[in-house]
């Protein structure tokens, strides 16, 4: 039993929670950066490939494929961590649980399901290059783009609500993250719209898009040097993905509060019994929000 308690403590430690979340994001960013370096080394024009272009050719495609699998695995674990941590915080910090609290915890579970699908799409997309498997590739991309934006909306709401419910201001690390998700969400929405607007402007006929994919499939070198490549749309795609990744990072705000509660001798036993809010009565403070 003592060994089990040690293992549980290590699993919910600050370092494990941080490294899982940061590892997922670093793996994704490192994969894309490494693939872009290979793209550039091949003599392709630097501005600007679509992210999916990085998975089209040789060693670059292999790096893209397996790097995203690593990222997706860690991302799924991080989404699970966030869901459990937020559930415990909601149960521990609320004085009067009822149907309203149930709706917030339901939203928390919905975000996990969305996160599961997003992680699945991230892990699968490298195995479905768009020059050979356009429809399944676009399904994965849509899950990442639309699902990621929807997840960001829910994440922003949960960050704000838990910010209002935190009982001890001194435990509220990374308070700025509770505000950061909203501007990141705005960037995601604008980038998504501008990306599709740019594509619609660039390709006046669907056959032109098919010709571009055919060139990528049959002559990669000609494709990556193509002066008619929709660079502006690619730029907005990069901005969209970067803002979505930044939104995932804001989950750290709730992870830090959870760990601080576990490490504080006055609150750790209360957190285990999920009675912090009742024990502290009306002693309530605002973390990261002011209402």
């Amino acid at each position: 039993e003592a060994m089990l308690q040690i293992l549980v403590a290590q699993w919910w430690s600050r370092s494990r929670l941080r490294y899982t979340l940061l590892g997922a994001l670093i793996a994704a960013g490192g994969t894309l950066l490494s693939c872009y370096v290979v793209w550039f080394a091949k003599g392709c024009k630097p501005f600007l490939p679509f992210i999916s272009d990085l998975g089209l050719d040789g060693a670059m495609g292999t790096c893209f494929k397996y790097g995203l699998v690593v990222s997706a695995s860690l991302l799924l674990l991080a989404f699970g961590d966030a869901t459990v941590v937020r559930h415990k915080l909601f149960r521990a910090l609320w004085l009067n649980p009822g149907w309203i609290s149930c709706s917030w915890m339901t939203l928390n579970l919905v975000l996990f399901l969305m996160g599961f699908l997003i992680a699945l799409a991230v892990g699968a997309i490298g195995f479905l290059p768009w020059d050979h498997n356009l429809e399944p590739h676009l399904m994965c991309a849509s899950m990442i783009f639309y699902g990621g934006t929807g997840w960001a909306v829910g994440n922003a709401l949960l960050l704000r609500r838990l910010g209002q419910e935190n009982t001890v201001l001194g435990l509220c690390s990374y308070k700025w993250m509770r505000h950061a998700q909203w501007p990141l969400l705005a960037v995601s929405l604008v980038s998504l719209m501008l990306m599709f607007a740019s594509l619609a402007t660039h390709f006046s006929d669907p056959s032109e898009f098919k010709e571009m994919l055919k060139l990528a499939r049959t002559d990669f070198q000609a494709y990556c040097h193509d002066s008619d490549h929709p660079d502006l749309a690619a730029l907005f795609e990069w901005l969209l993905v970067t803002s979505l990744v930044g939104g995932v990072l804001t989950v750290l705000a709730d992870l830090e509060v959870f760990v601080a509660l576990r490490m504080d001798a006055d609150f750790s036993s209360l957190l285990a019994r999920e009675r912090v809010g009742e024990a502290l009565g009306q002693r309530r403070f605002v973390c990261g929000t002011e209402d």
Side-chain angles (χ1 to χ4, degrees):
E1 184 178 349
M3 180 60 71
L4 179 60
Q5 291 178 347
I6 293 173
L7 291 174
V8 170
Q10 290 177 341
W11 181 257
W12 294 112
S13 66
R14 174 180 277 115
S15 58
R16 208 283 300 169
L17 292 170
R18 278 181 176 177
Y19 292 154
T20 298
L21 178 60
L22 295 177
L25 304 183
I26 291 171
T31 296
L32 298 183
L33 179 60
S34 299
C35 291
Y36 179 78
V37 169
V38 176
W39 168 277
F40 187 73
K42 287 177 176 289
C44 300
K45 66 173 188 174
F47 189 84
L48 188 68
F50 283 108
I51 292 175
S52 297
D53 290 339
L54 302 179
L56 295 181
D57 186 65
M60 181 176 65
T62 301
C63 175
F64 184 81
K65 183 187 305 181
Y66 294 107
L68 290 185
V69 167
V70 172
S71 177
S73 301
L74 292 172
L75 192 60
L76 180 59
L77 186 55
F79 282 136
D81 288 340
T83 302
V84 173
V85 162
R86 283 169 165 171
H87 178 81
K88 287 182 173 293
L89 288 175
F90 274 130
R91 293 289 299 273
L93 299 174
W94 283 18
L95 289 169
N96 300 305
W99 70 269
I100 296 179
S101 64
C102 288
S103 66
W104 286 105
M105 287 189 280
T106 299
L107 175 60
N108 188 34
L109 291 175
V110 169
L111 288 195
F112 174 73
L113 294 177
M114 294 176 67
F116 174 81
L117 293 176
I118 293 167
L120 188 64
V122 170
I125 198 167
F127 294 88
L128 302 165
W130 68 338
D131 59 334
H132 286 86
N133 302 281
L134 180 60
E135 290 187 6
H137 182 94
L138 291 180
M139 288 178 61
C140 291
S142 296
M143 178 54 63
I144 295 169
F145 296 158
Y146 296 122
T149 303
W151 183 90
V153 173
N155 183 54
L157 294 173
L158 289 181
L159 283 169
R160 178 172 175 79
R161 189 61 179 131
L162 280 168
Q164 295 170 338
E165 293 296 330
N166 287 325
T167 53
V168 181
L169 187 61
L171 296 177
C172 302
S173 302
Y174 300 98
K175 290 185 291 183
W176 60 271
M177 287 190 176
R178 298 192 182 278
H179 301 292
Q181 177 63 95
W182 291 105
L184 287 170
L185 175 59
V187 172
S188 297
L189 291 170
V190 172
S191 298
L192 186 64
M193 292 186 292
L194 291 177
M195 180 181 70
F196 285 114
S198 298
L199 285 172
T201 302
H202 190 89
F203 296 111
S204 58
D205 191 297
S207 63
E208 296 177 358
F209 182 71
K210 293 180 180 179
E211 285 298 318
M212 184 187 75
L213 292 181
K214 181 180 179 181
L215 181 62
R217 184 170 59 251
T218 58
D219 190 347
F220 175 78
Q221 284 299 321
Y223 171 75
C224 77
H225 288 89
D226 187 9
S227 60
D228 196 39
H229 187 276
D231 302 328
L232 190 58
L235 173 62
F236 291 129
E237 182 194 36
W238 281 92
L239 288 175
L240 169 61
V241 171
T242 300
S243 63
L244 294 177
V245 168
V248 175
L249 181 62
T250 63
V251 170
L252 265 179
D254 287 334
L255 299 184
E256 288 292 329
V257 171
F258 172 77
V259 171
L261 283 171
R262 283 180 56 86
M263 294 178 64
D264 192 295
D266 293 332
F267 300 126
S268 59
S269 60
L270 296 173
L271 182 63
R273 295 199 300 269
E274 297 180 337
R275 304 281 288 181
V276 175
E278 181 176 336
L280 295 179
Q282 297 301 316
R283 184 184 170 199
R284 305 177 69 75
F285 301 88
V286 175
C287 172
T289 58
E290 294 184 7
D291 290 343

